[in-house]
Amino acid sequence: MRPADYDDGTAGPAASVTAPKLGPLEWLRFAWRQLTSMRTALLLLLLLAIAAVPGSLVPQRSSDPNGVVQYFADNPDLAPVLDSFQMFDVYTSVWFSAIYLLLFVSLIGCIIPRTKHHLEALRARPPKTPARLSRLSAYTERELDGGADDAADAAADAETAIASASTELKKAGYRVERYDQRGVPSVSAERGYLRETGNLVFHTALVGVLVTVAIGGGFGFSGQRVIVEGQSFVNTLAAYDSFNPGRFFDDGRLTPYRLTLDELDAVYETENTDALGQPIDFTAHVTIDGPDGSAERDVKVNEPLYEYGTDVYLLGNGYAPTITVRDPDGEVIFTDSVPFLPQDANLTSIGVIKVPDGLDEQIGMVGFFYPTQSTLSTGAYTSTYPDLVFPVLTLNVYSGDLGIDDGTPRSVYQLDTSGMEQLTGGQTGVDSVELMPGESTELPNGLGTVEFATATPDAAGDDFSQSVPRFASFDVHHDPSQVWVLVFALLILGGLLLSLFVPRRRMWVKAVTRPDGRVVLEYAGLARGDDPGLERAVEEFADRHAGPRPRSDDPVVE
């Protein structure tokens, strides 16, 4: 009676069944099924999160180009290695893009067949009532009050009970279907399809986020600009200190408006001695001049400015000492408020001044600014408070080739001293130039004079509170997909809540007429997945429909 090709193991390995070889098409189908499985999608989502970690560990060229330059200067051996792996361009790297695209394809491959199956399930009838409900874990039964006089009355009572159960289940949000199996009426009900709907909404919205982020990255831009108090910035491509456009960005879309930094207010802790000097608030008071007129606005660290399709964020701030250099004849050849980069919480800052023309030779100066100067036990200067209490500026002067005549771009925050002669400070034996606001001194070798100009020449001699202007660093960001990202993020949250908190249940009610004429209602439920509230739900429905089960201590009426 066995098949002709049955192998009982006695024929030897030569007679064993071998699987057919997979051709190119079968391998492609296998790879597609693996890629579009939910397990692969979750793995890719985890990999995408892990791949984004380096973007928060090292500076990125798209958001902090100056930080990348500084990282190369601080880590000359490690930085090129990281750059070879695109660690400074994580979100546009080949490996991050590959994970991104694979996740996109995987999610699409998961969503389409599951959506088709879900729509078919929504149109399908609830399943037939099982023959033996008592085998289900969530099961209870109730007996109808009174007894029927004959079989016809029992059948009528059963039909009435099933009809009322069907109505109650519909009110509870179930889809119901009546069945009559071998003369036993029953109702089959199911609900919880919103759980799968929420799951599909979650994954579809996740695809929407991926698409909109890609669109926003392609058509948006991010630019940085440092503005000193009293100075302005015009929203044009040439006005940015650094600019990172998307792949499809068109500079003709930039709205030409002017942003003027009127004043930067900084509030520091002055009462709590344990937190003395800690920043409490930074507020940039700006004026916007654009096609719609002029308006005064405030920008805070966590309160960006939204104007003309761009978001203006306040990133950082510091001091910009005003330096004036004159030639030996007293003619001004350089004057500017130079931003100095803070190095610690008390705003000890470093800046670079380059004077390429007007003197017998090019000079560069590396400056150290101390808002509240104090001397350490080693003799070195430091700042003990971030506000202007006792501001001091020291300058190390260099002469020689600044390295800018050949057109090679140089950072304004760095001075290449390899081809220059140091004239003050260090091992020269000449003290560094030391100035307070309003003071000036001679440059070495009769090159001229340098002045630390004060912003408040009419202030009292010991009032330095407004003597040095501040600068603010702004990030101007344009992302056309922001609204859609918010919409899809809300859909993700809503879909996730539905998939987590909506139980998928089936419930059956059957009216069984016993030989003695009694009508017994059987209630049973079945859940898809773990549902700790299923048994309680069945009991509560039975109590609501047929009344609570009699307790053992209730009196029996004969």
Side-chain angles (χ1 to χ4, degrees), residues 59-131:
Q60 299 296 296
R61 288 191 175 93
S62 60
S63 58
D64 188 12
N66 293 326
V68 175
V69 174
Q70 187 64 41
Y71 194 92
F72 270 82
D74 297 338
N75 305 275
D77 297 327
L78 178 61
V81 177
L82 295 179
D83 197 24
S84 65
F85 290 99
Q86 299 179 292
M87 288 298 180
F88 300 105
D89 302 281
V90 167
Y91 306 112
T92 57
S93 63
V94 174
W95 46 272
F96 189 88
S97 300
I99 299 174
Y100 189 93
L101 293 175
L102 285 174
L103 176 61
F104 180 80
V105 173
S106 179
L107 288 173
I108 292 293
C110 290
I111 290 171
I112 292 177
R114 289 184 62 176
T115 301
K116 180 181 178 182
H117 177 75
H118 183 54
L119 293 176
E120 292 174 351
L122 289 175
R123 293 193 299 266
R125 299 170 59 191
K128 291 184 178 180
T129 306

Side-chain angles (χ1 to χ4, degrees), residues 157-448:
D157 292 342
E159 285 293 336
T160 302
I162 293 301
S164 64
S166 178
T167 302
E168 291 291 334
L169 288 169
K170 286 182 179 179
K171 291 180 180 179
Y174 286 85
R175 294 192 305 132
V176 300
E177 186 73 23
R178 286 287 306 274
Y179 290 101
D180 193 345
Q181 297 170 289
R182 297 181 180 179
V184 178
S186 65
V187 60
S188 176
E190 61 181 356
R191 74 171 185 182
Y193 280 95
L194 278 177
R195 184 187 188 96
E196 180 64 13
T197 302
N199 203 347
L200 291 173
V201 168
F202 170 81
H203 288 91
T204 304
L206 187 58
V207 173
V209 168
L210 295 177
V211 173
T212 52
V213 167
I215 293 175
F219 291 93
F221 71 87
S222 177
Q224 294 75 39
R225 177 59 191 261
V226 173
I227 308 178
V228 180
E229 288 178 328
Q231 297 184 2
S232 300
F233 152 76
V234 179
N235 187 36
T236 59
L237 190 60
Y240 285 95
D241 294 329
S242 60
F243 192 80
N244 303 280
R247 187 181 299 273
F248 311 109
F249 170 76
D250 179 11
D251 59 358
R253 297 178 178 270
L254 290 175
T255 303
Y257 65 83
R258 182 174 63 187
L259 175 70
T260 302
L261 177 60
D262 301 320
E263 185 179 4
L264 180 69
D265 286 340
V267 180
Y268 299 103
E269 178 62 52
T270 58
E271 297 181 0
N272 185 357
T273 56
D274 294 332
L276 189 67
Q278 293 294 320
I280 297 177
D281 182 60
F282 294 110
T283 303
H285 304 286
V286 300
T287 300
I288 295 287
D289 297 294
D292 299 334
S294 179
E296 295 182 354
R297 297 285 189 268
D298 291 339
V299 187
K300 292 178 177 291
V301 174
N302 293 318
E303 298 177 15
L305 174 66
Y306 304 98
E307 291 288 345
Y308 301 106
T310 60
D311 305 327
V312 182
Y313 296 89
L314 178 62
L315 297 183
N317 66 88
Y319 290 100
T322 303
I323 310 297
T324 300
V325 178
R326 293 180 172 85
D327 63 12
D329 297 330
E331 295 294 330
V332 176
I333 60 171
F334 175 89
T335 181
D336 196 9
S337 296
V338 182
F340 276 45
L341 301 181
Q343 303 298 305
D344 56 31
N346 289 320
L347 297 189
T348 299
S349 307
I350 299 178
V352 171
I353 300 98
K354 299 179 182 180
V355 185
D357 303 306
L359 299 178
D360 294 339
E361 52 185 329
Q362 295 180 343
I363 66 169
M365 292 178 279
V366 178
F368 296 85
F369 178 67
Y370 311 93
T372 303
Q373 183 266 337
S374 181
T375 305
L376 299 174
S377 58
T378 59
Y381 286 175
T382 187
S383 177
T384 57
Y385 188 72
D387 214 348
L388 296 171
V389 177
F390 191 75
V392 172
L393 174 68
T394 62
L395 298 171
N396 289 335
V397 184
Y398 296 81
S399 65
D401 184 10
L402 292 174
I404 59 178
D405 293 337
D406 58 357
T408 303
R410 304 284 184 178
S411 171
V412 296
Y413 302 108
Q414 289 184 327
L415 178 65
D416 184 5
T417 61
S418 57
M420 305 184 74
E421 178 186 359
Q422 186 171 358
L423 303 180
T424 65
Q427 305 297 323
T428 62
V430 180
D431 292 339
S432 299
V433 175
E434 184 174 323
L435 300 171
M436 294 187 69
E439 296 180 349
S440 63
T441 189
E442 297 284 338
L443 288 170
N445 299 342
L447 293 174

Side-chain angles (χ1 to χ4, degrees), residues 501-556:
F501 297 108
V502 174
R504 177 79 178 273
R505 291 172 178 170
R506 287 175 177 171
M507 191 173 293
W508 295 276
V509 181
K510 181 190 293 187
V512 180
T513 303
R514 300 292 169 82
D516 57 1
R518 292 182 300 114
V519 178
V520 177
L521 299 178
E522 297 182 350
Y523 303 86
L526 183 66
R528 184 172 183 177
D530 187 24
D531 187 356
L534 179 63
E535 294 184 9
R536 184 177 68 254
V538 172
E539 287 284 348
E540 289 176 352
F541 179 77
D543 294 341
R544 186 168 63 252
H545 177 244
R549 181 193 298 271
R551 295 180 301 176
S552 59
D553 56 349
D554 288 342
V556 178

Side-chain angles (χ1 to χ4, degrees), residues 426-492:
Q427 305 297 323
T428 62
V430 180
D431 292 339
S432 299
V433 175
E434 184 174 323
L435 300 171
M436 294 187 69
E439 296 180 349
S440 63
T441 189
E442 297 284 338
L443 288 170
N445 299 342
L447 293 174
T449 61
V450 58
E451 178 187 3
F452 181 10
T454 178
T456 54
D458 298 332
D462 58 351
D463 182 13
F464 300 106
S465 59
Q466 302 294 326
S467 60
V468 182
R470 283 181 172 267
F471 75 84
S473 175
F474 293 98
D475 181 81
V476 183
H477 185 73
H478 172 64
D479 185 358
S481 64
Q482 279 184 331
V483 176
W484 287 107
V485 170
L486 175 61
V487 170
F488 285 122
L490 293 176
L491 288 175
I492 286 176

